[in-house]
Amino acid sequence: GEDVEQSLFLSVREGDSSVINCTYTDSSSTYLYWYKQEPGAGLQLLTYIFSNMDMKQDQRLTVLLNKKDKHLSLRIADTQTGDSAIYFCAVPYTSGTYKYIFGTGTRLKVLA
Amino acid sequence: EPEVTQTPSHQVTQMGQEVILRCVPISNHLYFYWYRQILGQKVEFLVSFYNNEISEKSEIFDDQFSVERPDGSNFTLKIRSTKLEDSAMYFCASSAVAGPYNEQFFGPGTRLTVL
């Protein structure tokens, strides 16, 4: 079945760039998503990328997709303390009905 | 902006009790989902629902779980006899259609604590 993997922790200094990585196994996904979860809160859609794109930029966020290697990354420029959260990569999976398979989540800690 | 809402935000129950978690999907959406996140673990798919019936359920969704759309707006998840291991955050989601071109919108979640 589908599997989505992420590293568990990332710590950066305020003002630096953060790069969160995700690898997945199913290559049929047409959109891939990044969600943010702040402590005690729900899942907030951060950004997404269409599978025929290599890169998408949205203000401080840059999503890179390497479809050949099945590797997705999220770069946050000028990371702020408010960016401290868990970031989930979500890959739609179409075996049976359409559902999301989530990665383990990467806990980003921003140090002042 | 339309959003998915869930109630309650936090539910505490005794083991063996029944709980009902409620969701109000976005009004013109037709597909509904429940996901669960045990503390510190992945968000896992539980069940999808369309046209008043379950489309797919995961291995987690056993006979203790059921879903219902009792009226035109609510979508509920019932756990018949809760176990300690049911303690988790439960997320409801909805989408306009099923398929890769439509996003699932998630609610804020209900934190279920089973004592």
Side-chain angles (χ1 to χ4, degrees):
Chain A
E2 174 67 36
D3 194 23
V4 180
E5 293 294 334
Q6 297 177 241
S7 52
L8 292 179
F9 298 102
L10 177 65
S11 182
V12 300
R13 295 210 170 274
E14 195 173 16
D16 288 350
S17 292
S18 308
V19 180
I20 300 169
N21 294 301
C22 170
T23 57
Y24 58 96
T25 55
D26 183 6
S27 61
S28 63
S29 308
T30 45
Y31 282 97
L32 299 103
Y33 300 90
W34 284 102
Y35 282 84
K36 177 182 180 182
Q37 184 183 35
E38 296 185 20
L43 296 168
Q44 173 197 353
L45 178 67
L46 205 55
T47 188
Y48 63 90
I49 188 166
F50 187 47
S51 61
N52 71 353
M53 297 169 69
D54 298 323
M55 185 180 85
K56 179 183 175 184
Q57 185 137 10
D58 184 1
Q59 299 182 329
R60 290 191 299 122
L61 305 176
T62 304
V63 181
L64 295 176
L65 175 61
N66 182 328
K67 212 173 170 188
K68 176 174 164 289
D69 293 341
K70 296 177 190 169
H71 183 264
L72 181 71
S73 68
L74 173 70
R75 179 176 179 269
I76 306 172
D78 187 24
T79 315
Q80 304 296 307
T81 54
D83 295 323
S84 292
I86 301 176
Y87 291 82
F88 290 94
C89 159
V91 177
Y93 189 47
T94 53
S95 171
T97 58
Y98 183 72
K99 56 188 174 284
Y100 286 8
I101 305 298
F102 285 84
T104 46
T106 299
R107 184 179 294 275
L108 173 65
K109 185 172 180 179
V110 183
L111 306 170
Chain B
E1 187 176 323
E3 58 182 15
V4 176
T5 59
Q6 291 184 242
T7 54
S9 56
H10 191 188
Q11 173 91 46
V12 181
T13 190
Q14 295 289 327
M15 193 169 58
Q17 295 296 304
E18 174 184 286
V19 294
I20 297 176
L21 310 183
R22 291 185 165 78
C23 169
V24 179
I26 293 173
S27 63
N28 63 345
H29 284 186
L30 300 176
Y31 294 81
F32 313 111
Y33 312 83
W34 283 101
Y35 291 79
R36 157 183 107 170
Q37 183 187 28
I38 294 172
L39 187 65
Q41 296 186 25
K42 286 189 182 191
V43 177
E44 302 169 290
F45 168 78
L46 289 179
V47 66
S48 58
F49 190 86
Y50 168 71
N51 199 27
N52 280 321
E53 59 184 32
I54 290 173
S55 306
E56 184 179 358
K57 57 186 180 181
S58 72
E59 291 171 358
I60 304 165
F61 194 91
D62 62 23
D63 291 345
Q64 293 300 313
F65 290 88
S66 62
V67 288
E68 197 178 29
R69 190 154 159 81
D71 53 42
S73 59
N74 288 284
F75 178 52
T76 62
L77 174 70
K78 182 179 354 181
I79 308 175
R80 231 175 305 278
S81 176
T82 49
K83 303 190 274 284
L84 295 176
E85 54 264 38
D86 293 327
S87 294
M89 183 78 106
Y90 289 81
F91 293 104
C92 172
S94 70
S95 63
V97 296
Y101 299 101
N102 279 276
E103 177 191 337
Q104 291 182 17
F105 291 80
F106 285 82
T110 293
R111 182 169 298 283
L112 175 66
T113 303
V114 182
L115 303 175

